[in-house]
Amino acid sequence: TTPRSCAHFRSVSHQGPLTGGSTTLIVWSARYSNEGEPVVQRVAIIGAGTMGRNIALAFAMAHREVQLVDVSEESLQGAQSRIAAAIAAIAGANPVEAVLQRLSYTTSIAEAASQADLVIECVPEDLPLKREIWRALGSTARADAVLATNTSSFDVAIFAALVPNPERVLGLHWFNPAHLVPGVAIVGAPETPA
C-alpha cells in the first residue's frame, strides 16, 4: 500500500448538526475509495486528556468512527463522561446518540492503531513517554495510516524517525477546545511532502 502524505490534507468547514455552525476539521482531500468515500473513516486518538477527548469529539461530530485510547479504564470513563457533558452543553435538547455511537474506548494502542486511517498522539508533553508511544505506533499502525502528533513542544522529526515511512508523519496542533475552535496547525516532518 502507498503511504499517505501531508500533501493530501486540507482544512474544510463542516456544518455541524450539534453546533448550528461550522467546525473546521482536517480531512483527507486527495484520495478516495472506489465508492467515492473519503479514505479517512477511522481515527485513533492516543491520550484521553483534554486535547485528546476534544479532538475525538471533533472527529465524531464530523461523522468519523473514533477510538480513544488511554492507559486506564478510569481515564477512559472520565473522558467518556466529559465528552457526553460537552455534547449536552452544545446540543441542548438535540439528539446526540449518533455522535456518541461513533466513539469507542480502549486501553490497547495496538487495537486502535491497527484499524485506523489516521492516528493522532495526544499524550502529555513528556518526551520519553511520547517516544514509547511512537515506537508502538511504528509496529502496530497500518503501513498506509497517517500518523500525527498534537505536540506543542517537540519537533515532529523526532517522531518521524521512530516509524517506518516517515513521510506519513505530521504535526496536527489543534487549538483548544478542539471541538469548538476551527483551527489546526499542520506541520510536516522533513520527509513529509509539502
Side-chain angles (χ1 to χ4, degrees):
T1 55
T2 305
R4 299 174 184 144
S5 75
C6 179
H8 298 294
F9 279 94
R10 66 184 171 104
S11 296
V12 297
S13 291
H14 170 75
Q15 189 69 24
L18 295 178
T19 62
S22 64
T23 302
T24 300
L25 289 178
I26 299 297
V27 296
W28 199 254
S29 64
R31 294 191 46 195
Y32 291 85
S33 70
N34 293 335
E35 295 80 37
E37 292 294 318
V39 174
V40 172
Q41 290 293 327
R42 296 188 58 87
V43 181
I45 308 292
I46 314 301
T50 301
M51 290 307 294
R53 70 175 177 262
N54 288 342
I55 293 169
L57 177 54
F59 275 104
M61 289 168 55
H63 305 280
R64 299 300 183 267
E65 296 297 319
V66 182
Q67 212 164 20
L68 188 56
V69 181
D70 210 290
V71 294
S72 74
E73 290 293 336
E74 183 180 339
S75 296
L76 291 171
Q77 289 170 359
Q80 190 171 10
S81 295
R82 287 182 179 93
I83 287 170
I87 292 173
I90 294 167
N94 293 334
V96 296
E97 195 59 34
V99 174
L100 292 174
Q101 288 177 350
R102 288 190 283 273
L103 291 156
S104 61
Y105 304 85
T106 183
T107 57
S108 172
I109 290 174
E111 175 189 329
S114 67
Q115 299 173 33
D117 305 309
L118 170 63
V119 181
I120 304 173
E121 169 269 307
C122 297
V123 302
E125 297 294 296
D126 173 336
L127 189 55
L129 173 61
K130 285 183 177 288
R131 283 186 169 140
E132 178 184 337
I133 298 297
W134 278 85
R135 285 186 192 100
L137 292 177
S139 64
T140 59
R142 294 190 341 230
D144 67 336
V146 173
L147 305 177
T149 179
N150 188 55
T151 188
S152 58
S153 303
F154 300 111
D155 188 335
V156 175
I158 294 169
F159 310 118
L162 299 172
V163 298
N165 305 325
E167 67 275 5
R168 66 190 172 139
V169 174
L170 46 105
L172 297 179
H173 185 74
W174 295 68
F175 295 87
N176 194 21
H179 63 292
L180 298 177
V181 178
V184 180
I186 304 171
V187 180
E191 300 85 359
T192 308

